Amino acid sequence: MTDTTDKPRVQVGTGPETIRVIKAALASGLLPDTYVSDGALVHMETVSGGLPSVAADEDSPLPVSASPINPAVLAALLAEHAYVYRLKTRKSDTGDPEIVEDEVTPPRDTLSSVLAGKTWPKLAPLRGIIGAPVLRRDGTLLQRPGYDPATGLYLASKVALPVVPDEPTPEQVAEARTFLLDRFLCDFPWTGPADRANYIALLATPILRHFTRSLTPFALIDATMPSSGKTILTAGPGMLYGQRIIPWAYADEELRKSITAVLAEQVGVVIWDNLAEGTVIDSAILAQLVTTGVWSDRQLGASRTLATVNDRLWMATGNNLQVGGDMASRTVRVHLDPNMPRPEQRDQSRFGIPHLDQWITAPRNQLTVLWHLLVLVLDWTRQGAPRVGGVSMRQFTPWAQHLGGFLAHHGIDGFLTNAATVREIDEDETRWRAFLATWHERHGSTPLSAAELRRDGEPDNPAGEDHDPWDGQFITTPNGRLPNPLQLGRLLTGQAGRWRGDHVIRAGKHDRGNRAVFWVETA
C-alpha cells in the first residue's frame, strides 16, 4: 500500500465542492513545478528517452518540456503529489457505522471544469524556457538552473555550467578573447572582418535578447562552396540554446505552418539548413516574422488562434544564397569563401581546434564556448554596457547598437559593414536597379505610359534575328515573363517613389488625358 502520510491532504466531496477545493489547492501551489502560461496551467518535466544530438546538423532540443495540464495529466499529478480523498460511511466489524477515508481520482468532467478558467493569480507565470544563461533587463546574469521569478524564465541548461563571476578578472577576459578569436573562430574562411563580427554578434544574441528588449534580424550564413564551415557556425548558437532544423518551404503557406509549429517547441534557435544553391529568400511571411514580437496564427488542426512570443534566433544556411523583397534590410549576413576547389580536404588537424565539426558536438566543449562568451558579456556590462551611436537598422536598431557596443568594447571591428553586400545579393533590388538604369539610359526622364514603355521592350527584328534593345534588363513578372501593359502599370505604380540605387520612378498624369505616365529620375 502506498504511503501517503507525507503528501498534502485534499478532502473532496460533491462535484461542485470538488471543483472549488481542487482549484483552490492548485492556486495555492499544491503541485510542484507548475506555472501558468497564457492563462493555462503547465507542468515542467524532464523529457525521458531523448536522443542526444551527435552531429551539428541535427535537432538539439532542451532537456525539459512545459507540458500543458489536461484532465488526464492533472489526475496523474494529483495521484503523485497529493492524497485526494473523500469521507464515506461503512459498517465496522461490530456492525456499527463508521466514517473512513477513501482515496479517489476526481471524474474527468470535474477536472475539466477545474482547468476551464484562465485566471490563476497566485501561480507564477512561465514566460519561456531557455537553454543557456541570459542577461536580465537589470544587467544581472540569470545563471541558476530552474525558475527565475524576476524574469518568469526557466533555465534548463543543456550543459552544466559553473558559476560565471559577476566581475571577471582581466586574466579571464583576456583568456576568453584569445579562445574565441584565436582558437574557436580563427580557421573559418571569412570573406572579411564583417562576417566574423556579425557571427560573434549572432552567437551572443540569445544571451542579450531580454536585456536589449529588441527584435532580432534574420541570420544568413552562406558560402561560395560546400564544406566551408556553415553548419559548424550554426551549431554554435544552436547547440548552446537548443536548435530545431527544419526544411525550407518554398510556398508561403507551408512556411507559415512550419513557423507556427516550431514556435510551440522549446528551442532557442531555428535553422533552415542547406538550402538549394542560389535560393532567393524572398517571403512576406518571413519578413513579417522577424519584425513582430508576437506571432499570431491559427493553431494547426484547430479553429482557435494562438499568440506566441517570437524570442527565437532564425537562421538559414546554403551556398550563394540571395535575398529579395524586404528581406535585405532585415538580414545579417555571414559569408565564407575558402577560395579553393576542395575545401573538405583542408588538414583539420592543424586548425586552432582540430576537427572542430566533431569537437563542437561534445557538451563539455559547448560549455567551454559558452563560458568564455559569458565572461566577455559580463565584462561589457561591468563597464555599463556601452552602446554605439550612429548605427541604424530599421526595427533592429536597439539590437545593432547594443551588439555593436559589445563588439567595440572587445576590439572586434567590422560589425554590419557588409550591409551593402547584402543589398547586392538582393535579387529584387538588383533587377529593379538594372531596369531603371537601362530605362533612363534609353529615355532619360521622358514621361511614358505603361503601354508605350511595354512596346519599347518588345524585341525587334533588324537582321532576321530577334534583337532585345533592353539586353534582358526589362522587368519581368515573378514567373520570368514580360508583363502586359496592365501588369506593368501596376508594377510601376507599386514602385513609384522608391529609390533603387541612384534611380527612382516618378508617376503622374498625362497632360492630354487621365492616363498615368512614368519616368525615371537620378540622384
Side-chain angles (χ1 to χ4, degrees):
M1 185 173 181
T2 303
D3 182 11
T4 60
T5 57
D6 59 341
K7 293 182 178 180
R9 296 168 57 84
V10 180
Q11 181 182 339
V12 298
T14 63
E17 181 184 3
T18 300
I19 293 173
R20 290 191 295 267
V21 168
I22 293 181
K23 189 174 180 69
L26 293 179
S28 64
L30 173 69
L31 301 178
D33 295 320
T34 299
Y35 307 94
V36 60
S37 176
D38 194 26
L41 296 188
V42 295
H43 179 69
M44 297 300 304
E45 55 186 350
T46 302
V47 179
S48 299
L51 296 177
S53 176
V54 296
D57 57 353
E58 295 179 349
D59 289 343
S60 181
L62 297 181
V64 302
S65 175
S67 300
I69 297 181
N70 56 33
V73 172
L74 180 55
L77 290 173
L78 289 174
E80 180 180 358
H81 298 288
Y83 176 60
V84 181
Y85 69 97
R86 63 183 175 87
L87 299 178
K88 70 175 185 179
T89 303
R90 71 177 184 184
K91 288 184 178 180
S92 66
D93 294 339
T94 62
D96 297 325
E98 66 176 355
I99 297 176
V100 296
E101 296 178 355
D102 181 28
E103 186 175 17
V104 296
T105 297
R108 181 182 181 87
D109 289 347
T110 299
L111 297 180
S112 295
S113 298
V114 170
L115 299 171
K118 291 184 176 293
T119 303
W120 303 89
K122 295 183 180 180
L123 289 184
L126 180 67
R127 307 194 188 282
I129 303 175
I130 54 177
V134 298
L135 207 62
R136 299 186 184 94
R137 291 185 175 180
D138 62 0
T140 59
L141 186 68
L142 191 174
Q143 57 178 319
R144 181 179 179 181
Y147 182 76
D148 180 56
T151 61
L153 299 174
Y154 191 101
L155 174 57
S157 296
K158 289 181 59 59
V159 291
L161 189 71
V163 175
V164 183
D166 292 333
E167 296 188 2
T169 66
E171 293 76 19
Q172 289 173 325
V173 175
E175 179 185 350
R177 287 196 188 108
T178 299
F179 172 80
L180 286 172
L181 302 178
D182 299 336
R183 289 195 61 209
F184 180 55
L185 300 177
C186 67
D187 293 302
F188 288 93
W190 314 105
T191 303
D195 302 288
R196 186 184 71 162
N198 291 354
Y199 177 73
I200 296 173
L202 294 172
L203 192 62
T205 289
I207 297 173
L208 298 178
R209 182 157 196 169
H210 295 277
F211 177 71
T212 62
R213 310 182 206 185
S214 67
L215 298 169
T216 299
F218 186 69
L220 181 65
I221 298 181
D222 74 335
T224 57
M225 293 283 292
S227 303
S228 299
K230 305 180 299 295
T231 300
I232 301 175
L233 289 181
T234 56
M239 288 189 164
L240 294 179
Y241 311 115
Q243 71 182 22
R244 180 78 161 83
I245 310 293
I246 60 177
W248 178 251
Y250 290 89
D252 267 359
E253 180 62 17
E254 293 304 314
L255 184 63
R256 179 188 63 79
K257 290 179 181 178
S258 66
I259 290 170
T260 301
V262 80
L263 277 171
E265 302 180 19
Q266 276 81 43
V267 293
V269 182
V270 182
I271 303 169
W272 286 285
D273 191 33
N274 200 25
L275 275 64
E277 188 165 8
T279 294
V280 179
I281 299 175
D282 180 5
S283 165
I285 294 294
L286 191 55
Q288 174 191 355
L289 171 70
V290 296
T291 53
T292 183
V294 177
W295 176 261
S296 298
D297 191 22
R298 182 174 57 84
Q299 184 180 8
L300 299 180
S303 59
R304 68 191 187 104
T305 298
L306 295 179
T308 307
V309 175
N310 177 19
D311 56 358
R312 316 297 164 87
L313 177 60
W314 303 89
M315 311 179 79
T317 73
N319 296 320
N320 296 314
L321 301 180
Q322 301 179 70
V323 293
D326 291 326
M327 287 304 297
S329 59
R330 293 166 163 84
T331 299
V332 172
R333 188 191 193 197
V334 175
H335 189 56
L336 304 177
D337 182 6
N339 193 28
M340 60 187 303
R342 288 175 290 277
E344 69 277 5
Q345 294 183 1
R346 289 174 294 176
D347 185 2
Q348 293 195 28
S349 66
R350 301 174 66 90
F351 285 4
I353 297 179
H355 305 289
L356 183 59
D357 56 339
Q358 301 170 34
W359 182 92
I360 192 63
T361 63
R364 65 179 182 276
N365 297 331
Q366 298 166 21
L367 181 151
T368 301
V369 175
L370 182 59
W371 167 269
H372 289 110
L373 187 61
L374 289 169
V375 165
L376 295 184
V377 167
L378 290 179
D379 181 63
W380 171 62
T381 58
R382 179 176 57 181
Q383 303 301 321
R387 292 191 278 180
V388 294
V391 176
S392 178
M393 195 181 178
R394 297 187 61 171
Q395 299 97 324
F396 315 108
T397 296
W399 173 86
Q401 291 180 345
H402 279 97
L403 271 299
F406 167 69
L407 294 170
H409 174 74
H410 291 293
I412 302 171
D413 300 325
F415 180 54
L416 296 181
T417 55
N418 64 348
T421 304
V422 177
R423 289 192 294 271
E424 289 173 4
I425 64 169
D426 183 345
E427 187 219 27
D428 191 59
E429 178 77 12
T430 301
R431 290 190 311 120
W432 278 100
R433 280 189 183 188
F435 173 59
L436 298 191
T438 306
W439 180 354
H440 191 265
E441 181 181 307
R442 290 179 58 79
H443 299 289
S445 296
T446 302
L448 298 171
S449 68
E452 291 169 335
L453 184 63
R454 178 61 183 82
R455 283 195 296 271
D456 187 67
E458 283 290 346
D460 54 33
N461 193 11
E465 297 180 0
D466 286 345
H467 170 69
D468 182 3
W470 283 71
D471 197 23
Q473 302 304 322
F474 203 93
I475 200 67
T476 59
T477 61
N479 60 13
R481 298 180 179 179
L482 291 176
N484 61 40
L486 180 59
Q487 291 172 321
L488 180 59
R490 289 172 177 169
L491 286 172
L492 299 181
T493 299
Q495 292 291 321
R498 177 166 180 171
W499 286 87
R500 298 289 189 174
D502 294 331
H503 297 82
V504 63
I505 295 177
R506 300 301 186 190
K509 296 293 184 181
H510 197 281
D511 56 4
R512 289 180 295 178
N514 60 358
R515 290 184 303 160
V517 292
F518 307 90
W519 65 96
V520 175
E521 295 178 356
T522 60

